Amino acid sequence: MSREAKAQGQFGHGINCSQAVFGAFSDDFDIDKATALNVARAFGGGMGREGHVCGAVTGAIMAIGCMHGTVAEKDEGAARNGAYGDVQEFMRRFEERNGGQVSCRGLLGVDLKAPEGQAEFKEKNMLDTRCRKAVRDAIEILEEMI
């Protein structure tokens, strides 16, 4: 099963955008799925529904950090610099696909902390019309970069 299929199959069924993306890559980094989902849990909705960086983006950034090995395996300074460069490239590509946006609020145009924002999110089916696209974009970009 593709990473995209894994992520989309779980997303919206109790798994948020950040969990879906990071979880789709967990096997690549020998991270058990439960740990990956626990680590990524609070990043959905732009970090706890704060509307900041999209959860699909933060899930991808966690995967990028893992792509650069462990502290014990590598020179941390070189690994960090490589990860930062990859994050910058990822962000550039994500913004290109999403009208210059990486924030949850910017992508959705609603405040997920507010009841009316949550209602509009549901009413306009944004989970399927916008968030699934963000998850797909994040996974596709990461796969291109690996």
Side-chain angles (χ1 to χ4, degrees):
M1 180 181 292
S2 73
R3 290 181 189 107
E4 163 87 21
K6 285 181 197 177
Q8 296 291 358
Q10 292 186 334
F11 182 56
H13 299 283
I15 299 300
N16 70 33
C17 46
S18 185
Q19 291 172 305
V21 173
F22 189 51
F25 286 86
S26 63
D27 290 342
D28 295 67
F29 309 115
D30 294 324
I31 299 171
D32 70 89
K33 185 68 139 225
T35 299
L37 298 180
N38 287 337
V39 167
R41 176 180 294 123
F43 291 91
M47 301 189 185
R49 291 191 182 135
E50 284 291 322
H52 300 298
V53 178
C54 167
V57 172
T58 57
I61 291 170
M62 286 185 265
I64 288 170
C66 292
M67 286 169 40
H68 289 273
T70 65
V71 173
E73 293 173 343
K74 298 190 173 216
D75 170 52
E76 181 55 26
R80 184 181 318 108
N81 287 336
Y84 287 0
D86 284 348
V87 167
Q88 292 165 8
E89 177 65 14
F90 174 87
M91 299 287 270
R92 183 189 65 73
R93 291 184 190 190
F94 191 89
E95 287 173 333
E96 280 179 1
R97 292 181 181 210
N98 291 282
Q101 295 293 324
V102 295
S103 75
C104 184
R105 189 172 295 123
L107 291 164
L108 299 176
V110 299
D111 180 358
L112 292 176
K113 285 193 311 185
E116 58 274 6
Q118 291 178 26
E120 184 176 349
F121 177 84
K122 289 176 186 172
E123 178 184 304
K124 292 184 177 178
N125 194 25
M126 290 184 188
L127 183 115
D128 287 331
T129 61
R130 298 195 186 169
C131 297
R132 285 192 185 280
K133 178 188 180 311
V135 168
R136 181 177 57 251
D137 287 348
I139 290 171
E140 286 176 358
I141 293 165
L142 274 178
E143 286 179 332
E144 291 167 5
M145 292 177 68
I146 291 178

